[in-house]
Amino acid sequence: MSAPSRRRWDYDLLRVASMVGVVYLHTAAGALRQLGTPLWHFSNLLSSLATAAVPLFFMLSGALLLSHPRTAELGTLFRRRLPKVLIPLLAWSGVVIALAGVLSGPQAALDKLIPLLNTPVMVPYWFLYALVPIYLLEERHRIPQLCDTKSVFTIHNIEYQGRYGSQTLKDVFGLNDGYFNEHMLAYHGDVNLMKGAIYAADYVTTVSPTYADELQYSFYAHGLEGVIADNRHKLRGILNGIDTEVYDPWRDKGLTKFFSARQMAGKKNCKAALQQMSGLRENPEAPIIACVSRLVRHKGFDLVTAAIHEIMGMDVQMIVLGTGDWNYEEAFRQAQNQYPGRFAAHMMYSPNLSTAIYGGADLFLMPSISEPCGLSQMIAMRYGTIPVVRETGGLRDSVVPYNKFTGEGTGFSFANINVQEMTGVLSEAVNLYHNEPKAWKALQKNAMTADFSWEKSAKAYEEIYGWVTGK
């Protein structure tokens, strides 16, 4: 066997091995858990180990594309490689069914497996999963077990739609021309998977009520506002939640000292620790403004970089953690050089530092241009770090603007994409911190006791599942 052929064979072998791991990750633990077997703990262990196969698969996919000229043709790639994925998948499915039959008996196994096909399908937001409601629409009339199966498609960020050339409709996705001719998947001459999923699904959700409303406008819908308008009758926004046990300052071992809404003393220790580890001057009186984010335009960093000098003209310190577009990273590095001890730029990903920021900062800045939901503002509030946000998407739904007359609210907000409006609201927040400590502590308590658990969201999804299934 020649060296190039051996190399291609090695790539194929490793691709198949890694894909088996991916398939196992997505099927094994869930299937065994549903079957109620005593082996699902072992399955969870193996699926955790198989997680390493995911990046391996993508790396080897790229290597194979580079090493084999014929794979440049997308149709050839899928026709030659797809069977190598399907065979392990079908083999594993057979193992699961056989195991169920041995442990529970054939009839009991069928009783447990068939309902899995008849329950609603919750489709993740990643656009490749948009094929699930499309295929379900195609197959539910051929397969009796699927006739009552419903699909719910969740839009997380409509900007990522899954657009491909029209030739992929048959060669890759295995669908007939009707899907293109009837404009279900057609979008400016391309195939648009998200568009098809919105039409094919029985119900469509998105991750906040305000974002569901915003999608009716071209500024937010990225060309799909007409599709949203056609399907508005089956669209609902449900605000995401966070794990309130994981994000709990009273139990978070990543903090220097625990604290709670009733016992806030530990937050001062966390602030001092943050200043020490980030390079900020130790000053308990200066409020720390923090950003933890991807540094990209739609997160509002044009506003932040334009306002750096005005912000630093206030009696504050500032820390930015994240990576992204080079122009933002460079602007923050320059600010760190210009304001030593008062501005800290950490252009990296660091879970430990992000926990320290949530626990030790005083204000959390999120001036997003568009934010379908956002979790950072919820986490910040759990840790008594007051959010300053633009009123868009989930930021509007989760942050109640502070009312200085009634004391109500959980943060500060501004409406327009405007530097002066943002800095004006920041100035109000800084003034409250410096001049009204009693009101500031009350605001922190409001934020820390707000309910961002999944309980409300879960009930809303249950309502939708009940509606689509008629149960």
Side-chain angles (χ1 to χ4, degrees), residues 439-457:
W440 180 262
K441 290 178 181 178
L443 178 59
Q444 284 182 305
K445 184 175 181 180
N446 291 348
M448 295 180 74
T449 55
D451 182 9
F452 295 115
S453 69
W454 274 100
E455 186 173 351
K456 292 181 181 178
S457 303

Side-chain angles (χ1 to χ4, degrees), residues 73-83 171-172:
E73 182 187 347
L74 195 57
T76 300
L77 173 64
F78 274 80
R79 283 194 297 270
R80 292 173 64 100
R81 310 299 173 189
L82 196 57
D171 288 347
V172 177

Side-chain angles (χ1 to χ4, degrees), residues 289 310-311 314 363-365 367 386-391 399 401-402 411-416 418-433 440 443:
I289 300 172
E310 189 173 351
I311 293 172
M314 308 175 194
L363 291 163
F364 196 88
L365 181 59
I386 303 303
V388 178
V389 303
R390 194 179 86 79
E391 296 170 1
V399 178
Y402 174 68
F412 295 84
S413 66
F414 61 99
N416 298 307
N418 182 281
V419 173
Q420 285 70 36
E421 197 169 333
M422 180 188 75
T423 55
V425 170
L426 264 176
S427 180
E428 291 178 17
V430 171
N431 287 335
L432 186 72
Y433 176 91
W440 180 262
L443 178 59

Side-chain angles (χ1 to χ4, degrees), residues 224-243:
L224 293 186
E225 58 273 11
V227 176
I228 294 296
D230 287 347
N231 294 276
R232 190 68 182 89
H233 62 284
K234 62 176 184 180
L235 173 66
R236 180 178 175 184
I238 301 173
L239 189 67
N240 278 344
I242 59 173
D243 189 328

Side-chain angles (χ1 to χ4, degrees), residues 179-288:
Y179 284 89
F180 203 81
N181 296 335
E182 296 172 9
H183 304 292
M184 186 176 194
L185 289 169
Y187 182 81
H188 297 292
D190 292 335
V191 168
N192 188 311
L193 297 183
M194 182 172 286
K195 176 187 175 184
I198 292 171
Y199 277 111
D202 297 282
Y203 209 89
V204 180
T205 67
T206 189
V207 290
S208 70
T210 295
Y211 190 58
D213 293 335
E214 289 174 340
L215 291 182
Q216 299 175 77
Y217 302 99
S218 58
F219 181 81
Y220 295 99
H222 294 275
L224 293 186
E225 58 273 11
V227 176
I228 294 296
D230 287 347
N231 294 276
R232 190 68 182 89
H233 62 284
K234 62 176 184 180
L235 173 66
R236 180 178 175 184
I238 301 173
L239 189 67
N240 278 344
I242 59 173
D243 189 328
T244 53
E245 294 185 3
V246 171
Y247 299 109
D248 182 356
W250 190 246
R251 295 187 292 183
D252 192 335
K253 295 181 180 179
L255 299 178
T256 301
K257 193 168 184 179
F258 299 152
F259 61 92
S260 69
R262 293 184 177 182
Q263 301 182 31
M264 289 292 293
K267 190 167 176 67
K268 294 181 180 179
N269 300 83
C270 293
K271 181 174 183 175
L274 173 61
Q275 290 171 327
Q276 291 173 5
M277 68 189 298
S278 66
L280 294 172
R281 187 179 303 121
E282 290 187 48
N283 180 359
E285 304 303 323
I288 300 175

Side-chain angles (χ1 to χ4, degrees), residues 105-118:
Q107 187 58 48
L110 288 176
D111 290 342
K112 292 179 179 179
L113 286 168
I114 290 178
L116 296 179
L117 299 174
N118 292 330

Side-chain angles (χ1 to χ4, degrees), residues 41-56:
H41 292 290
F42 178 66
S43 178
N44 280 342
L45 173 63
L46 289 184
S47 65
S48 299
L49 295 175
T51 304
V54 178
L56 178 64

Side-chain angles (χ1 to χ4, degrees), residues 152-164:
V152 177
F153 180 68
T154 297
I155 301 170
H156 179 253
N157 191 332
I158 204 168
E159 184 175 357
Y160 306 106
Q161 299 173 5
R163 288 185 63 180
Y164 301 92

